[in-house]
Amino acid sequence: MIILGMNETSHDASVSLIKDGKILFAAHAERYSKQKNDWYNNREIILDALNYGTPDVIAYYEKPLLKRSRIAIRGGASDWKPEFPLDIPVYYFKHHYSHAAAGYYTSKFDNACIVVLDAIGEFNTSTIWVGEGSKIKLKYKKNYPFSFGLFYSAFTKLIGLKPNEEEYIMMGMAAYGDWKRYYVKVNDYFKNINNQKYNFHKGIFDWDEPIDEQAKFDIAAAVQYVYELRLIEFMDMAKRLTGKDNLVFMGGCALNCAANTRLWEIFYDVWIMPNPGDAGSSLGAAAALYGQHIEWEHPYLGYDLGGEYPVDKIYDELMKNKIAAVATGRAEYGPRALGNRSILADPRQANIKDKVNKIKKREMFRPFAPVVMEEYAHEWFDISFPSPYMQYAVRCKKPSIIPSVVHKDGTSRVQTVNKNQHPGLYNLLDKFNKKTGVPILLNTSLNVKGQPLINDAQDILDWKAVYNYNIIS
Ligand SMILES: [Fe+2]
């Protein structure tokens, strides 16, 4: 049976296709429509998915009726009318169950605690599940308006950023702020996991102090601090309730890589599917319908540009200009570029960071991430587990050698690579290491701020025409 998984009518629409437990295709609508955080799927993404097989059924990531009743009873807004591209049976799964299924069924665990934290789906906003064998059972839930995600998004909005989109910028700003300045005030909004001040859905309206530039960074730091405190409380409860040592963490909150690192203090092993937010729920709905583990090999599941990984071309460009833009093979499923739609650069010079920020038109304070050969990761970073999907921020041990990939607080959001995971990227790092003694490159997504990642050949041509900058493909 071929299942078409879909999520739309909320930020980050996506489509997935699975057949007998194998993922054939998974991609984001925005990469096809060129509309960042596109709410809806489009003809192009559906046609691309159909290249990989003709679905028998559709699995949708929410229960529209339930969502409609939440909006009627408790407020909020959404376009809850999904449109289905084919006249085949449609099965609906609850929002949080789709998150849980995306995480647990792609994990290697047959026994795990599953935690889902996001802004809001239908009613649930914070859930704890137990995965045993092929069964997923709900253990605990908290409903709207309590919400970790809405708390974080409301402050994102308060400091002038775009909620539901630019939370990752606030997370980056936290390293530049003093959390103590606003700790008491921010903590008052979310005192413990049973005491949240009010409905954050529309933002924060009782902040009574002026917010100058430095205050934005200090608020970000306090919010990140309080978020981590409450996250740890919730995770401790989850472990206690389920009695499990393995954690599957899903929902938009699982994109907070600074907080994610702390989960390893509580659990023996952790799995965060590389696309844990709503965009990952098309795969979650498909997996929920399949009802058992699916084969997770890698996140290179989207549009296919074809070609071998151009190791020598990238290496030559790095030696010549220190920066190489690359688009090749299948696009990553998830918000991070992990080598196939990346800008790679020599991490040793501090000014490289400014050059790349200029190309990407980003704020100058924004940090970049390192990609490192897995076997050397512990020599360069304070890390004792693999991080193949850039999900954890850890302390860098040699910041003076690779300054362009170390954040203000001394941490780096590390991507580890081994031979099996991405042979091309691994060979490139190996070649760079043999020449320089550094098994690390700067790796950032191939896009301009506010635009989706490069997807297809037309995007490559457009990029070249507009930015006069070559992409290696
Ligand atoms: Fe969600």
Side-chain angles (χ1 to χ4, degrees), residues 450-464:
Q451 291 178 19
L453 268 70
I454 296 287
N455 201 43
D456 53 32
Q458 186 60 49
D459 295 341
I460 295 175
L461 291 174
D462 291 349
W463 172 284
K464 195 178 169 188

Side-chain angles (χ1 to χ4, degrees), residues 375-388:
E375 62 268 42
Y376 295 110
H378 67 282
E379 290 177 20
W380 291 78
F381 305 98
D382 206 351
I383 190 167
S384 54
F385 46 85
S387 173

Side-chain angles (χ1 to χ4, degrees), residues 284-299:
L289 181 56
Y290 185 59
Q292 47 191 307
H293 281 80
I294 56 177
E295 230 173 283
W296 176 268
E297 289 174 349
H298 54 71

Side-chain angles (χ1 to χ4, degrees), residues 355-372:
K355 278 190 193 168
V356 180
N357 265 330
K358 232 178 190 166
I359 293 172
K360 295 185 50 145
K361 305 188 192 311
R362 304 197 323 173
E363 300 86 351
M364 286 305 178
F365 66 83
R366 300 274 300 281
F368 286 110
V371 52
V372 56

Side-chain angles (χ1 to χ4, degrees), residues 5-7 59-63 91-106 114-116 118 121-122 124 127 129 136 248 250-251 273 275-289 294 333:
M6 287 184 61
N7 77 291
Y60 185 72
Y61 86 123
E62 270 187 344
K63 297 218 170 192
Y91 295 85
Y92 299 90
F93 296 90
K94 279 189 179 174
H95 188 106
H96 266 228
Y97 184 66
S98 298
H99 276 311
Y104 181 63
Y105 289 139
T106 56
I114 307 162
V115 173
V116 181
D118 63 3
E122 298 103 347
N124 298 161
T127 52
W129 313 69
I136 297 174
V248 172
M250 292 293 291
M273 200 270 269
N275 202 359
D278 285 4
S281 292
S282 62
L283 183 61
L289 181 56
I294 56 177
Y333 182 49

Side-chain angles (χ1 to χ4, degrees), residues 347 368-385 387 392-399 402-407 410-416 438-442:
F368 286 110
V371 52
V372 56
M373 293 166 82
E374 188 181 293
E375 62 268 42
Y376 295 110
H378 67 282
E379 290 177 20
W380 291 78
F381 305 98
D382 206 351
I383 190 167
S384 54
F385 46 85
S387 173
Y392 303 99
V394 293
R395 190 179 65 85
C396 178
K397 291 180 177 174
K398 304 178 185 178
I402 48 170
S404 71
V405 289
V406 184
H407 203 6
T411 65
S412 304
R413 193 180 64 198
V414 173
Q415 178 194 359
T416 57
V438 176
I440 298 164
L441 288 170
L442 178 156

